Amino acid sequence: MSGDARSEIQEDPAAGRLRAVRGSVLDIAFPRGHLPAIGEALDLPLDEGGVLLAEVEGHLDETTLRAICLDSTAGLSRGAAVRATGAPLTVPVGEAVLGRLIDVRGRPVDAGPPLPEGTPRHAIHAAPPSLVERPVGRELYETGIKVIDLLAPLARGGKAGLFGGAGVGKTVLIMELIRTVAEKYSGLSIFAGIGERSREGQELLLEMTQSGVLDRTALIFGQMNEPPGARWRVGLAAVAMAEAFRDGLPRDDGAPGSGHDVLLLMDNAYRFVQAGMEVSGLLGRLPSRVGYQPTLASEVAELEERIASTRAASITAIQAVYVPADDFTDPAVAEIFSHLDSSIVLSRSLAAEGLYPAIDPLASSSVLLDPTVVGEAHYRLAVEVRATIAHYRELQDIIALLGIDELSAADRRVVGRARRLMRFLSQPFTVTEAFTGRAGRVVPLPETLKGCRAILDGEADDWPESRLYMIGDFAEAAGQAEVAGQAESGAGPP
């Protein structure tokens, strides 16, 4: 900010004055009658140039407010002038943000050029679409990942959560979903990195550049080293960007633009709650259960209820949710869970066995797994797959104590098929090719159903389990079996 602009703020009779700075929390006094509204953005010019951004969070009295700063408060001094912008925080939207990595203020942080002058901006606070604007019915959102499409199908315009502790593969799964969905649906993607490590952001940017989907993706990050206010508002900023693409920006002639289907990905929704907890503590609010903020439910609802479809286009959200200490009864996890259509639970024990994606077939669920939505055949097959794996888990203690030979013939058959099902539901990802040496696979839903049906019918009973591990469809394993049979008989392939 230039010296002239700072002077204008100093001389503005409606300007506020900074009274106290406590970490990211600011107490600011305004002249009577000029107190900004809650949620309004404030500009704080620095003597050495630049402007800090803050958001009003509460009114202390008729002339004093409390705000949370989205930048480091180093360099601020008491008595500094503060300008009310008269509007909420805004974020750039439209074609200009595709292929770019920006922060919560809309500034590029990818070492690229500034965003073009005149790039439209939308407020991060908005009302969700009304019920009459939302479509009726549900449509499947096929991902090409076998275990998800079979047991926890996603809804177009729905919300799905990836639940898991540290190190079980949430981020890898999200990166694969970005790639497969971009190729299959040719839609736009918004990635919100909430409290991300700089290493994770760099890896994601490189991966998306190499896979060719970056030009149809916008990335917005609130990194782990940023103040809690910035991390807290990244989720809402990403939703505002997604809403702009869903609703379509007005054309130059004033006519409404056409909307786009949007895939909104958040990593990590739990860190959104954590940032809100930090902000709540800084504002002096008394904590609630397990130390969480008393406004936990309303903050999560403000974010989740805006992730919705209209009759013109949809926003489909997939959110990674860190589960602290693998405790699914944690209040934050339970609150996020209540808003979701599909819950994909990642298991540490499956990850330890090398069964990736480490999705628990029994704990994962979806409201779409209903015969009226997926069809009777898919529904019955999913129920049979779950029952087979559940029976195997009931027998695991007996197997560990006495050995599999002590089981009845029927139980041994169930165990063999369950183990083969779990290996068939593992799948190599394109984003991990460099680490595993296995080419990624995208499996259509009919092929997934056909493979599971064949295993349950006993077609793979005589095969070694390893033949079904980390493959695509059942035909791939059948081809390996045919080649192995020819080799054993001494006859080579034609």
Side-chain angles (χ1 to χ4, degrees), residues 294-308:
T295 52
L296 171 64
S298 59
E299 287 176 13
V300 172
E302 181 186 9
L303 176 73
E304 298 287 352
E305 289 304 307
R306 285 175 57 190
I307 302 171

Side-chain angles (χ1 to χ4, degrees), residues 390-400 407 411-412 414-415:
H391 189 42
Y392 165 55
R393 289 193 177 174
E394 291 169 1
L395 297 171
Q396 279 183 313
D397 287 342
I398 298 174
I399 295 170
L407 300 178
D411 282 345
R412 285 200 301 272
V414 168
V415 168

